[in-house]
Amino acid sequence: MSSSELNNIERANQDYQTGLDYLTTSCIKCRYNPNYLDAIPFFKKAAEVYRGCGQFEKEVQSRQMLIRCFNAEKSYWEEGNEYQKMSQTQINQLKNTQEAKISIINSFNAFATNRTYSDGIKAITKASISFIDNGNKNEAEEILDFCFIGIEKYYHVLILNEEETHGYIYECIDKYIDLLFDKEKFEKSAEISERSAQIIKEENNEEKSVISKYHGFWALAELLNNNNKKYQEVVEKGMDIDNDSDNLCARINRLVNVINQKDKENEKLIKKLYSDIARKIPGAMAKVFNIKYIQVNIVKAQEINTMDEEEEDMK
């Protein structure tokens, strides 16, 4: 560690101590209550310097003090923001997944207390991506499930905010469903897709393309769950909701109809139709659908055609 970094850490230590001093009551100094407002800038400076010097435990310690200060001042947005920053350090640097999970849920709750629900949803989505990138898919699923319940609860409020688009809501839901596909939880994928379509239909029926999209996700989950009867019901509903002949459900329906012909000569067409669908769905979902359904059915078609050719030769 360079002398410059050591000096920076020493200054951060001093700032942190100054922040603590403002929170300490003293009859001698006539300080009968903690002075949260004056402490905040010192803890902020300490947190940023510690982070820059790779002192991540001390960064988290400083952010914990900031959270205490903001909570005392009822500054709930700032509290949620510090929880979010702390969770990122806990995930990416400290690899403390359990503490990170608690921090990001606290972040969501603080934003919700402030009625800035969108910031809570965005924080969860960001944390879930970090968890996944670090191989912590179970933790990502837990926080996305927690957030989805929040979206169901607050969706009617979220869509009233005309100052921002609603894409962040669907980004979070898509990330959740995509992760469930990645973990091959097709029954749960179908359930969350159905619930997503339902809450949007009930509160925001004009979003027909979005409702239809979740029917498409739902249909794919039913296909991979080998529930062909339910698949047909769902994909037809999705096509009826959105009249666009090129929507996701229509694309899936065309692909499945070609696959059901079980003709190996259709392999190029199947791959093209799959490629069209893959561009409209999240990455893990596309990958799992390709491996578990497309490739399996291509092989089946090849085997059936080979058997037919052998029978013809025998004649």
Side-chain angles (χ1 to χ4, degrees), residues 32 97 103 123 133-134 168 181 225 247 253 293 300 309:
Y32 303 109
T97 56
S103 295
D133 288 346
N134 282 276
Y168 69 91
F181 268 84
N225 211 27
N247 67 34
N253 190 53
Y293 188 78
K300 281 182 181 177
E309 287 170 4

Side-chain angles (χ1 to χ4, degrees), residues 15 25 42 50 68 103 106 136 152 190 235-236 248 302 304:
D15 285 334
T25 57
F42 292 97
Y50 283 139
R68 175 184 166 189
S103 295
N106 285 338
N136 307 123
E152 283 189 307
V235 84
E236 286 175 6
L248 180 57
Q302 290 171 342
I304 289 170

Side-chain angles (χ1 to χ4, degrees), residues 239-257:
M239 288 190 291
D240 288 342
I241 289 166
D242 182 8
N243 293 325
D244 182 359
S245 61
D246 205 31
N247 67 34
L248 180 57
C249 285
R251 291 185 183 207
I252 294 168
N253 190 53
R254 286 196 292 271
L255 171 64
V256 172
N257 287 340

Side-chain angles (χ1 to χ4, degrees), residues 7 27 77 188 202 238 242:
N7 288 335
C27 293
W77 188 92
K188 187 69 182 283
E202 287 176 358
D242 182 8

Side-chain angles (χ1 to χ4, degrees), residues 65-124:
M65 298 309 299
L66 280 168
I67 287 164
R68 175 184 166 189
C69 293
F70 286 131
N71 181 269
E73 290 296 319
K74 294 182 170 52
S75 299
Y76 299 119
W77 188 92
E78 288 79 5
E79 179 187 354
N81 192 42
E82 289 303 324
Y83 269 125
Q84 180 188 10
K85 289 178 180 178
M86 189 165 72
S87 72
Q88 286 296 313
T89 299
Q90 289 165 329
I91 297 169
N92 295 312
Q93 280 78 37
L94 298 177
K95 310 298 182 184
N96 191 336
T97 56
Q98 290 307 307
E99 289 298 321
K101 189 171 63 176
I102 293 167
S103 295
I104 198 61
I105 288 173
N106 285 338
S107 173
F108 181 92
N109 288 334
F111 284 130
T113 301
N114 195 58
R115 297 186 182 278
T116 46
Y117 305 109
S118 61
D119 290 312
I121 294 168
K122 291 171 186 175
I124 292 276

